[in-house]
């Protein structure tokens, strides 16, 4: 990109001492390092040389939990009924069909879809490491490298959360498609993960797939690997009651207690889902300031249940959002669902403000992925932002000052008109500049797996 790029936003949601607020006629200047050098509200009409962006500029959305290959399941898993576990069997069939080239094509298209939805950074919870049967590729990190390259091709940032997955359930050996996931033990996982390389757009983190997939005695190895690097550490937690029951039978404690006992919880850790918790679990998560990533569209799609997000936030947990299985990719729907699901559960309204929900999807989401310098529109932050149209059939009519409420409670991914990452204009007027025919790319990549 040029040394300096200046964008003029018709409106922008900006930090303010009294709380974030929508301001008009905002100049946002990005320097050659991809960071914001100046934000000037009330600047007057768009000056010559600036890129005019009609609508509402927001910090880029952080998709804090993604399994890119699950996108291939969309619609196909909506036939008939079943449970999370029958859905998982279908997911394994897709996993078995992937190799590095096919994964590169699929993930590039999926990440381009995310860009079109306003997402500037993704946390990829990556456990599909090896070839079918568990044999290592010549490059043991070929699948992870494909994901990092896919994000580059789609123009967004990625935190590759390399995932330790060793067991099919509390000590049982992996079998079938799960053989692709396992490194044998945590030490072998750590050795392979240590060879992963970040990039300007990519950072490396770690993940424990779940307490059922990593033996208790090996949780410490993963936690220490992340601690030594100051890296994010994510973990699926209590998504299903069956996991809780099995953990109690195997260890006599809940999954949350087991993670706490092995040093997994803490401010660099994100617990994903956290749907079925005891009151003590909530206190453990809050007391350790562990982040909790909620994935409402996936949790309702899989009939997981509604997690205690409001109680977790009150206990001290930052809340983030993810699209997980990509039943839909729409960060505004995830934010809206957090509030609306709580309304259904409690039969009262107003649990989260629009500003709180936007923070979950922006600043807190980026921080959980190891990008604390992103997620806000201010000098020094990464120049990562999206622009929502305010004149569509969904967004028209409300005053611009209620832009945050419009974004969360009315808008959707289809209303994103522009996306800027590191000062680079990735989506312009609703078209992805790097993957211009994103729908066709998705159809081809998914079709290749059938």
């Amino acid at each position: 990109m040029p040394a300096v790029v200046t964008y003029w936003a018709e409106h922008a949601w900006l930090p303010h001492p009294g709380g974030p607020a929508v301001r008009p006629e905002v100049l946002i200047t990005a320097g050659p390092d991809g960071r914001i050098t100046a934000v000037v509200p009330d600047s007057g009409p768009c000056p010559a040389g600036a890129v005019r962006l009609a609508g509402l500029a927001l910090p880029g959305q952080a998709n804090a939990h993604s399994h890119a290959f699950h996108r291939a399941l969309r619609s196909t898993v909506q036939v008939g009924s079943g449970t999370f576990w029958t859905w998982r069997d279908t997911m394994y069939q897709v996993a078995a069909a992937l190799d590095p080239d096919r994964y590169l094509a699929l993930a590039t298209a999926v990440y381009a879809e995310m860009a079109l939805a306003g997402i500037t950074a993704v946390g990829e919870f990556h456990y599909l490491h090896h070839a079918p049967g568990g044999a290592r590729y010549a490059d043991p990190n070929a699948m992870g490298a494909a994901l990092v390259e896919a994000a580059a091709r789609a123009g967004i940032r990625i935190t590759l959360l390399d995932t330790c997955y060793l067991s099919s359930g509390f000590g049982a050996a992996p079998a079938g498609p799960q053989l692709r996931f396992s490194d044998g033990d945590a030490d072998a996982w750590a050795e392979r993960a240590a060879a992963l390389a970040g990039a300007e757009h990519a950072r490396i983190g770690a993940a424990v797939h779940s307490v059922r997939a990593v033996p208790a005695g090996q949780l410490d190895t993963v936690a220490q690997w992340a601690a030594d690097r100051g890296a994010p550490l994510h973990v699926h937690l209590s998504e299903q009651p069956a996991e809780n029951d099995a953990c109690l039978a195997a260890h006599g404690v809940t999954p949350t207690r087991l993670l706490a006992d092995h040093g997994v919880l803490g401010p660099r850790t994100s617990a994903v889902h956290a749907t079925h918790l005891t009151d003590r679990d909530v206190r453990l998560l809050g007391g350790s300031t562990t982040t909790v990533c909620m994935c409402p569209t996936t949790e309702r799609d899989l009939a997981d249940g509604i997690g205690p997000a409001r109680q977790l936030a009150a206990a001290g947990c930052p809340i983030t959002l993810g699209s997980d299985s990509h039943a839909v990719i729409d960060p505004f729907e995830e934010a809206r669902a957090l509030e609306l699901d709580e309304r259904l559960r409690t039969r009262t309204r107003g649990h989260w403000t629009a500003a709180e929900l936007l923070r979950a999807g922006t600043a807190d989401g980026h921080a959980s992925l190891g990008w604390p310098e992103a997620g806000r529109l201010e000098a020094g932050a990464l120049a990562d932002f999206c622009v929502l149209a305010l004149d569509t059939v969904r967004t028209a009519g409300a005053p611009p000052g209620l832009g945050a409420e419009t974004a969360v409670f009315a808008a959707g991914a289809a209303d994103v008109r522009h996306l800027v990452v590191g000062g680079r204009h990735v989506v312009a007027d609703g078209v992805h500049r790097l993957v211009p025919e994103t729908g066709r790319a998705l159809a081809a990549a998914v079709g290749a797996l059938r």
Side-chain angles (χ1 to χ4, degrees), residues 6-90:
T6 298
Y7 295 93
W8 181 90
E10 189 176 23
H11 303 279
W13 190 67
L14 302 180
H16 187 271
V22 175
R23 302 291 296 276
E25 300 178 332
V26 180
L27 285 173
I28 304 170
T29 303
D33 61 352
R35 292 177 180 264
I36 296 171
T37 59
V39 177
V40 182
D42 304 297
S43 65
C46 182
V51 180
R52 187 178 190 279
L53 304 174
L56 172 67
L58 297 167
Q61 305 297 300
N63 188 353
H65 189 67
S66 163
H67 302 290
F69 75 92
H70 290 190
R71 172 62 178 81
L73 297 170
R74 189 179 294 179
S75 298
T76 63
V77 289
Q78 304 301 344
V79 178
S81 61
T83 66
F84 168 86
W85 307 104
T86 57
W87 170 91
R88 189 179 71 162
D89 290 339
T90 305

Side-chain angles (χ1 to χ4, degrees), residues 267-283:
R268 285 182 296 97
T269 299
S270 290
V272 182
H273 302 304
T275 309
H276 302 282
L277 302 177
T278 67
D279 290 342
R280 188 181 183 192
D281 291 340
V282 171
R283 291 193 296 271

